[in-house]
């Protein structure tokens, strides 16, 4: 490296404070065999949670009388289960020495700020797909004005009042409008091609089912403009039929 | 407890301030103690229309900031015993208003008046939002023209979702439609939307139809609310609207083309 490079004032690094969420494993007993077994069970519950997870080993809660801990063995055990030890929290003299020998940073004993975390037991491999849950339809009985948007997530949308131009109705299921419909209606927005739209008086700006749409310019030419209609998708063509 | 009325529209230039002045004056004429509040901070006009521009000392923002008391800022009308005006500040902008400040003033006015008429600025931003936020009833002023109707529709959506009543889940704001600058001749020629068209699109109760009239401009320039000109069609139409607002059934007038008689042709319209 030349002299000129060393004189360059452009900073090479920046020190920043940061708060990271890190898993702390607090040992209650010096019993590696049982730890191996119990850790194995935990990992089986949530394998994704335990892959290359940074870990702080807390040895400060170990009872005094439980003998010297084999830190090296403990660390390789953790590693087998996908936990990577970053540092050790210890208060016993022996543990601190062992950690220093392994060149591991030693953190002071715990404050009272951590709370026990349990990897969510939710992702227990579902044996069969869950029954589709019936969500209640969303029912709107006051006018939907321009600029307003109504979304029925995972459900049908039923509107009993006029829908103004510039309003937008969205539903994962079907859309029913039992009043003049002058806004936009998008049924099956998550791709449900079986969704349908029902309008008592169709004067829509846009009708769409699962992404296949028609705009007002096309809809106006339809002889059913202003009539009660039923819109469905066949292939990628929107079918507008008299109700 | 007073009723808080907001006069709003979304679009500018449709006649909000003229309507606020006329409706407020009409309520006072019928014996109700009324105050008209100008929310158009930075573009104040109400004082001109009410003819009290030379007597403005303190304004709305002064009261919000605690620089004046409400009684110092209220301007008493010279014509009517129970009519007051609270002017907007001309030197500030809408950011001078805060929800807490407005709420404090509205609450104070609620105790001393029967009707508080809030003249909303155009748009749907802060000023307009604060003007309608505390309202019990809304008069949506619309011109028979597509862009005005669309903006009113948007405003109706905001009244139904962004007001205090909506946020607290109380009974919704009562909405009234006031169609202004209506010209039956142009409606028959198909140049203007008809009453039925606007009513059908907005689907709210029609409070009144104010015909396009020379009297409105004249009244504005003279600083006399047009409702006091009881010879003019616009003045009479506003008078009917106030009666309907108070719950009276009054038939709608000025909706059809008037046949002009010979005398009328010779001497011209008023």
């Amino acid at each position: 490296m030349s002299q000129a490079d060393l004189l360059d004032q452009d900073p090479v690094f920046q020190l920043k404070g940061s708060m990271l969420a890190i898993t702390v494993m607090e040992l209650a007993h010096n019993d590696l065999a049982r730890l191996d077994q119990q850790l194995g069970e935990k990992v089986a519950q949530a394998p994704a949670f335990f892959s290359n997870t940074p870990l702080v080993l807390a040895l400060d809660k170990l009872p005094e009388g439980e003998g010297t801990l084999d830190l090296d063995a403990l660390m390789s055990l953790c590693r087998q289960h996908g936990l990577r030890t970053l540092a050790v929290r210890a208060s016993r003299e022996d543990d601190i020495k062992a950690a220093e020998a392994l060149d591991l940073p030693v953190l002071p004993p715990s404050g009272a700020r951590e709370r026990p975390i349990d990897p969510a037991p939710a992702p227990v491999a579902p044996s069969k797909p869950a029954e589709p849950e019936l969500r209640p339809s969303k029912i709107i009985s006051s006018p939907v004005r321009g600029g307003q948007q109504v979304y029925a997530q995972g459900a049908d949308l039923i509107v009993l009042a006029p829908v103004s131009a510039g309003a937008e109705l969205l539903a994962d299921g079907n859309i029913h409008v039992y009043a003049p419909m002058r806004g936009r209606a998008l049924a099956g927005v998550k791709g449900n091609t079986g969704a349908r739209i029902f309008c008592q008086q169709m004067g829509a700006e846009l009708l769409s089912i699962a992404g296949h749409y028609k705009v007002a310019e096309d809809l106006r030419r339809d002889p059913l403009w202003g009539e009660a209609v039923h819109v469905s998708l066949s292939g990628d063509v929107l079918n507008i039929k008299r109700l | 407890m007073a009723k808080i009325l907001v006069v709003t529209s979304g679009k500018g230039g449709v006649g909000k301030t003229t309507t606020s002045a006329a409706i407020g004056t009409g309520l006072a004429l019928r014996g109700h103690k009324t105050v008209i509040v100008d929310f158009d901070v930075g573009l104040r006009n109400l004082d001109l229309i009410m003819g009290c521009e030379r007597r403005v000392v303190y304004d709305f923002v002064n009261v919000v900031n605690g620089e004046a008391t409400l009684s110092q800022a209220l301007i008493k009308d010279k014509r009517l015993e129970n009519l007051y005006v609270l002017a907007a500040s001309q030197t500030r902008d809408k950011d001078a208003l805060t929800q807490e400040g407005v709420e404090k003033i509205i609450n104070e006015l609620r105790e001393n008046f029967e009707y508080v008429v809030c003249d909303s600025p155009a748009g749907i931003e802060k000023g307009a939002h604060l003007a309608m936020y505390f309202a019990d009833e809304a008069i949506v002023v619309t011109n028979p023209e597509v862009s005005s109707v669309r903006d009113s529709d948007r405003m109706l959506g905001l009244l139904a979702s962004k007001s205090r009543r909506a946020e607290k889940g109380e009974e919704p704001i009562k909405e009234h439609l006031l169609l202004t600058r209506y010209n039956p001749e142009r409606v028959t020629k198909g140049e203007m939307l008809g009453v039925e068209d606007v009513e059908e699109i907005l689907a709210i109760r029609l409070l009144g139809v104010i015909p396009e009239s020379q009297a409105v401009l004249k009244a504005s320039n003279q600083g006399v609310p047009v409702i006091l000109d009881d010879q003019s069609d616009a003045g009479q139409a506003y008078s009917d609207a106030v009666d309907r607002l108070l719950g009276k059934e009054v038939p709608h007038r000025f909706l059809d083309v008037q046949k002009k008689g010979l005398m009328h042709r010779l001497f011209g319209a008023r």
Side-chain angles (χ1 to χ4, degrees), chain B residues 8 13 20 34 41 76 79 90-91 102 122 133 159 166 174 182 186 192 223 233 243 249 259:
Chain B
T8 187
S20 301
T34 304
V41 177
K76 195 172 179 306
R79 296 160 292 234
Q90 183 69 327
T91 53
V102 172
Y133 187 74
L159 286 168
K174 203 167 159 193
Y182 193 73
R186 301 191 66 186
M192 215 180 231
D233 45 2
D243 284 337
E249 288 287 330
K259 289 248 161 43

Short mmCIF file of all heavy atoms in Angstrom, two decimals, chain B residues 8 13 20 34 41 76 79 90-91 102 122 133 159 166 174 182 186 192 223 233 243 249 259:
data_model
loop_
_atom_site.label_atom_id
_atom_site.label_comp_id
_atom_site.label_asym_id
_atom_site.label_seq_id
_atom_site.Cartn_x
_atom_site.Cartn_y
_atom_site.Cartn_z
N THR B 8 -70.21 22.30 3.19
CA THR B 8 -69.00 21.77 2.57
C THR B 8 -69.30 21.32 1.14
O THR B 8 -70.46 21.31 0.72
CB THR B 8 -68.45 20.60 3.43
OG1 THR B 8 -67.20 20.19 2.93
CG2 THR B 8 -69.39 19.41 3.45
N GLY B 13 -65.59 27.20 -5.23
CA GLY B 13 -66.37 28.10 -6.07
C GLY B 13 -67.80 27.68 -6.34
O GLY B 13 -68.42 28.17 -7.27
N SER B 20 -73.32 29.46 3.51
CA SER B 20 -73.14 29.59 4.96
C SER B 20 -73.76 30.88 5.46
O SER B 20 -74.47 30.90 6.47
CB SER B 20 -71.65 29.61 5.31
OG SER B 20 -71.03 28.44 4.86
N THR B 34 -77.42 32.17 16.40
CA THR B 34 -76.56 31.47 15.44
C THR B 34 -75.20 32.14 15.32
O THR B 34 -75.10 33.36 15.39
CB THR B 34 -77.24 31.47 14.05
OG1 THR B 34 -78.53 30.88 14.17
CG2 THR B 34 -76.42 30.70 13.03
N VAL B 41 -58.99 29.39 6.77
CA VAL B 41 -57.87 30.17 7.27
C VAL B 41 -56.92 30.48 6.11
O VAL B 41 -56.52 29.60 5.38
CB VAL B 41 -57.13 29.40 8.37
CG1 VAL B 41 -55.91 30.17 8.85
CG2 VAL B 41 -58.05 29.13 9.53
N LYS B 76 -70.63 40.75 16.20
CA LYS B 76 -72.09 40.75 16.21
C LYS B 76 -72.60 41.38 14.92
O LYS B 76 -72.08 42.39 14.47
CB LYS B 76 -72.56 41.58 17.41
CG LYS B 76 -74.00 41.38 17.76
CD LYS B 76 -74.30 42.08 19.09
CE LYS B 76 -75.75 41.93 19.45
NZ LYS B 76 -76.66 42.36 18.39
N ARG B 79 -77.40 43.77 11.60
CA ARG B 79 -78.81 43.71 11.18
C ARG B 79 -79.65 42.85 12.10
O ARG B 79 -80.81 43.12 12.35
CB ARG B 79 -78.90 43.16 9.75
CG ARG B 79 -78.23 44.05 8.74
CD ARG B 79 -77.90 43.26 7.49
NE ARG B 79 -76.87 42.27 7.76
CZ ARG B 79 -75.75 42.18 7.06
NH1 ARG B 79 -75.51 42.98 6.06
NH2 ARG B 79 -74.86 41.27 7.35
N GLN B 90 -56.47 35.82 8.19
CA GLN B 90 -56.04 36.00 6.81
C GLN B 90 -54.53 35.80 6.67
O GLN B 90 -54.04 35.49 5.60
CB GLN B 90 -56.46 37.40 6.33
CG GLN B 90 -56.14 37.70 4.88
CD GLN B 90 -56.99 36.88 3.91
OE1 GLN B 90 -57.36 35.75 4.16
NE2 GLN B 90 -57.26 37.45 2.76
N THR B 91 -53.81 35.96 7.77
CA THR B 91 -52.34 35.95 7.66
C THR B 91 -51.75 34.57 7.95
O THR B 91 -50.54 34.41 7.88
CB THR B 91 -51.75 36.93 8.67
OG1 THR B 91 -52.29 36.63 9.96
CG2 THR B 91 -52.07 38.35 8.31
N VAL B 102 -59.70 23.45 17.80
CA VAL B 102 -61.03 23.59 17.20
C VAL B 102 -62.08 23.00 18.14
O VAL B 102 -63.14 23.59 18.35
CB VAL B 102 -61.05 22.88 15.82
CG1 VAL B 102 -62.46 22.84 15.27
CG2 VAL B 102 -60.13 23.60 14.85
N ALA B 122 -62.49 24.79 0.57
CA ALA B 122 -62.57 23.76 -0.48
C ALA B 122 -61.51 22.70 -0.20
O ALA B 122 -60.64 22.87 0.65
CB ALA B 122 -62.32 24.41 -1.84
N TYR B 133 -65.34 17.77 11.04
CA TYR B 133 -65.08 16.70 11.99
C TYR B 133 -66.11 16.66 13.13
O TYR B 133 -66.56 15.61 13.55
CB TYR B 133 -63.66 16.84 12.56
CG TYR B 133 -63.27 15.68 13.43
CD1 TYR B 133 -62.95 14.45 12.86
CD2 TYR B 133 -63.25 15.78 14.81
CE1 TYR B 133 -62.62 13.36 13.65
CE2 TYR B 133 -62.91 14.69 15.61
CZ TYR B 133 -62.59 13.49 15.01
OH TYR B 133 -62.27 12.41 15.79
N LEU B 159 -67.49 12.30 5.09
CA LEU B 159 -68.40 12.61 6.20
C LEU B 159 -68.84 11.33 6.89
O LEU B 159 -69.00 11.29 8.11
CB LEU B 159 -69.65 13.33 5.67
CG LEU B 159 -69.47 14.80 5.25
CD1 LEU B 159 -70.68 15.29 4.50
CD2 LEU B 159 -69.24 15.67 6.47
N ALA B 166 -68.50 9.33 13.10
CA ALA B 166 -68.15 8.04 12.49
C ALA B 166 -67.11 7.32 13.32
O ALA B 166 -67.20 6.12 13.56
CB ALA B 166 -67.64 8.27 11.07
N LYS B 174 -76.11 13.84 9.59
CA LYS B 174 -77.26 13.95 8.70
C LYS B 174 -76.84 14.78 7.48
O LYS B 174 -76.35 15.90 7.64
CB LYS B 174 -78.39 14.65 9.47
CG LYS B 174 -79.75 14.38 8.95
CD LYS B 174 -80.78 14.86 9.98
CE LYS B 174 -82.12 15.09 9.34
NZ LYS B 174 -83.01 15.82 10.24
N TYR B 182 -78.36 26.71 -10.26
CA TYR B 182 -79.19 25.86 -11.10
C TYR B 182 -79.86 26.71 -12.16
O TYR B 182 -80.43 27.77 -11.86
CB TYR B 182 -80.24 25.17 -10.23
CG TYR B 182 -80.94 24.04 -10.92
CD1 TYR B 182 -80.29 22.84 -11.14
CD2 TYR B 182 -82.26 24.17 -11.35
CE1 TYR B 182 -80.93 21.80 -11.76
CE2 TYR B 182 -82.92 23.12 -11.97
CZ TYR B 182 -82.24 21.94 -12.17
OH TYR B 182 -82.88 20.90 -12.78
N ARG B 186 -80.84 25.72 -19.12
CA ARG B 186 -79.70 24.95 -19.60
C ARG B 186 -79.90 23.47 -19.33
O ARG B 186 -79.36 22.64 -20.06
CB ARG B 186 -78.41 25.45 -18.95
CG ARG B 186 -78.18 26.92 -19.25
CD ARG B 186 -76.80 27.36 -18.84
NE ARG B 186 -75.77 26.71 -19.64
CZ ARG B 186 -74.48 26.84 -19.41
NH1 ARG B 186 -74.07 27.59 -18.41
NH2 ARG B 186 -73.60 26.23 -20.16
N MET B 192 -76.72 21.02 -18.68
CA MET B 192 -76.49 20.98 -17.24
C MET B 192 -77.19 19.74 -16.70
O MET B 192 -78.19 19.30 -17.27
CB MET B 192 -77.14 22.23 -16.64
CG MET B 192 -76.41 22.82 -15.48
SD MET B 192 -77.29 24.27 -14.89
CE MET B 192 -75.99 25.47 -14.85
N GLY B 223 -72.11 42.90 0.57
CA GLY B 223 -71.94 42.41 1.93
C GLY B 223 -73.26 42.17 2.64
O GLY B 223 -73.36 42.31 3.86
N ASP B 233 -85.12 35.49 -6.46
CA ASP B 233 -85.41 34.06 -6.48
C ASP B 233 -84.43 33.30 -5.59
O ASP B 233 -84.81 32.42 -4.83
CB ASP B 233 -85.39 33.52 -7.92
CG ASP B 233 -84.21 34.02 -8.73
OD1 ASP B 233 -83.36 34.76 -8.17
OD2 ASP B 233 -84.10 33.66 -9.92
N ASP B 243 -86.21 26.69 5.98
CA ASP B 243 -87.44 26.10 6.53
C ASP B 243 -87.36 24.57 6.52
O ASP B 243 -87.72 23.92 7.49
CB ASP B 243 -88.66 26.56 5.73
CG ASP B 243 -89.04 27.99 6.08
OD1 ASP B 243 -88.68 28.43 7.18
OD2 ASP B 243 -89.69 28.66 5.24
N GLU B 249 -92.15 21.15 5.76
CA GLU B 249 -92.30 20.64 4.39
C GLU B 249 -92.62 21.83 3.48
O GLU B 249 -93.64 22.48 3.63
CB GLU B 249 -93.45 19.63 4.33
CG GLU B 249 -93.15 18.30 4.99
CD GLU B 249 -92.18 17.45 4.17
OE1 GLU B 249 -92.18 17.60 2.92
OE2 GLU B 249 -91.43 16.67 4.78
N LYS B 259 -91.82 30.97 -18.00
CA LYS B 259 -92.22 31.63 -19.25
C LYS B 259 -92.08 33.13 -19.04
O LYS B 259 -92.59 33.69 -18.06
CB LYS B 259 -93.68 31.28 -19.57
CG LYS B 259 -93.87 29.84 -19.99
CD LYS B 259 -94.28 29.78 -21.46
CE LYS B 259 -94.07 28.44 -22.09
NZ LYS B 259 -94.47 27.31 -21.28
#
